[in-house]
Every structure is written in C-alpha cells, then in structure tokens.
Amino acid sequence: MSKLQKLAWFNLVMMTICFILSILFLLILIRVNAKGIEYLITCFVIACITTPLFFMLHRKKSFEAGFDEREKMINRRAFSCSVIGLTVFLACVCFIPFFVLGGQNVVKVYYLPLIFLGAIFAAQFVHSATILIQCALEEEDG
Amino acid sequence: MGSNRLSNHVRRLRFEHGEITQQQLADKVGVTRQTIIAIEAGKYAPSLPLAFRIARTFGVSIEQIFQYDEEES
C-alpha cells in the first residue's frame, strides 16, 4: 500500500470519526439551546475536536511533498471529483427541501451547521474514495 | 480518430540490467513502486522528464523503451 492510499484511508477514518463527533456535539448544542456558560463549554469541546483536525490537515500537506507525479495526478483527479461531489451534495440539500416542502415553507436555522459539516464530509469522502478506487484500478493487473 | 497506446519494455530492460527490482528502479528514478507497476502494465503514461530518467538509468534512448502505437479505427 502506497503513502497516498494510507493517507486516503487515514482521512476517511478520521473524517468519519470527526463528523460523527461534531454531529453529536451539535445535537447537544441544539438541546441545551446554546446560552451562557453552556455555550462556552460547547465551544470549548468543539475546539478540542477541530484543533486536532487542523493539525491532521497540516500534516497532510507535508505528507504530500513526498508524492510522485502519478500520485499527484491521482490527487488532482480526486480533488476534481470531490468538487463535483460537493456540488451534488449542496444541490440535493438545497433543492430537495424546496421541492418537497414548497417555496412558502421555513427551514430551521440549526440545519445550516449540519449542512456545513455534511458538505465537508461529502467532499472529503469523495476525495478519499476516488483515490482508493483509482489506485485499485491501476493495480488490478499489477 | 484512432486509438492510441503507449507500450514499453521497462520490464524486459529491468531483467537485462542485472534483474533489478521494481523498488530499486523506483528509487533510482524517484517515484514509488506503484508507479513503476502502473507504467509496466501500460496503465500510466509517464511524463517526459520521468521517461528520460528511466531511459538514462538503462543507458538507452526513450524510443528504445517507449513505443507509441496509433491504431486507425
């Protein structure tokens, strides 16, 4: 398994864990209605999750320096696919409620952070999955 | 429009030059073993600089390693 594949698996697992934890804390935030000290505590907890995520992404950049031309090409293709995935996700999230609920209806504000987290997860998931699929296809007969 | 295919003799040249492994060749030209595997299988067309590095490793010209076949459909 190449460094790129290891990184893709690592990202896939880490993003899934971060996504689940973020959703859990967001649900807690919605439950306590985010006021006063509770709000600060919840922000602190979210910071505890996002800080390791930042270092993880920073580590990824230094990791990419060791990639060869084929891996960089795979990464570029995966990035293009992740942009498509992100667009499809946002289109579904925005248009499905519009057509299902109708133009006169109201969507609650707490769906917005969920959409944000979902968009990040969708883009990262498509990126990692595309890398793994491309590597698997190239190594099929290797 | 014809279909194009880049064939190569990397595998044969590896065995003719002291049976060097894919990993040894990869280290010499500065890529991963997976890239050498993909090139040998014809699934990846290397860039011109990489093709030159491979050719220089074996001491031959690029044309002696890579052949570009264009088939008319």
Side-chain angles (χ1 to χ4, degrees):
Chain A
M1 191 182 282
S2 69
K3 272 200 295 185
L4 187 70
Q5 284 168 294
K6 282 177 189 168
L7 180 68
W9 277 116
F10 177 77
N11 273 350
L12 205 60
V13 172
M14 285 304 287
M15 285 305 290
T16 307
I17 292 167
C18 287
F19 179 70
I20 292 166
L21 287 175
S22 303
I23 294 293
L24 283 175
F25 285 115
L26 198 65
L27 289 174
I28 293 167
L29 186 72
I30 293 163
R31 199 179 172 86
V32 298
N33 205 18
K35 280 178 184 170
I37 191 73
E38 288 160 340
Y39 177 73
L40 288 172
I41 292 167
T42 316
C43 284
F44 175 74
V45 171
I46 288 173
C48 288
I49 300 165
T50 50
T51 309
L53 187 70
F54 170 78
F55 283 110
M56 192 184 88
L57 293 172
H58 182 72
R59 183 177 164 268
K60 182 186 163 187
K61 277 188 178 174
S62 61
F63 210 63
E64 277 176 355
F67 289 166
D68 70 11
E69 58 176 49
R70 182 184 131 272
E71 289 172 325
K72 282 177 184 166
M73 190 189 71
I74 288 174
N75 222 354
R76 275 199 299 273
R77 276 192 213 145
F79 178 75
S80 303
C81 290
S82 74
V83 172
I84 294 167
L86 179 66
T87 311
V88 170
F89 175 83
L90 287 175
C92 290
V93 163
C94 295
F95 283 101
I96 289 173
F98 178 80
F99 289 117
V100 172
L101 302 171
Q104 299 299 314
N105 242 307
V106 178
V107 177
K108 285 182 177 164
V109 174
Y110 63 66
Y111 283 117
L112 297 175
L114 283 174
I115 292 169
F116 175 74
L117 291 171
I120 291 175
F121 179 73
Q124 190 61 47
F125 179 83
V126 172
H127 187 263
S128 299
T130 313
I131 287 174
L132 293 171
I133 290 167
Q134 284 183 90
C135 289
L137 287 174
E138 282 195 354
E139 289 168 15
E140 214 173 30
D141 302 324
Chain B
M1 231 12 216
S3 62
N4 308 320
R5 189 179 145 73
L6 194 70
S7 59
N8 67 78
H9 300 298
V10 175
R11 180 181 283 270
R12 182 173 60 78
L13 284 163
R14 274 198 302 113
F15 284 98
E16 285 176 4
H17 286 75
E19 294 191 5
I20 61 167
T21 62
Q22 289 172 331
Q23 187 62 60
Q24 285 170 325
L25 177 62
D27 291 340
K28 279 183 182 175
V29 297
V31 293
T32 60
R33 192 176 71 88
Q34 281 78 10
T35 299
I36 299 297
I37 291 169
I39 291 170
E40 284 187 1
K43 293 192 172 185
Y44 174 65
S47 68
L48 207 49
L50 177 57
F52 270 112
R53 287 203 297 273
I54 294 170
R56 282 178 188 171
T57 301
F58 293 125
V60 294
S61 65
I62 286 182
E63 289 82 2
Q64 285 174 282
I65 303 179
F66 298 100
Q67 281 83 43
Y68 178 70
D69 307 317
E70 192 174 3
E71 291 170 10
E72 290 295 328
S73 57

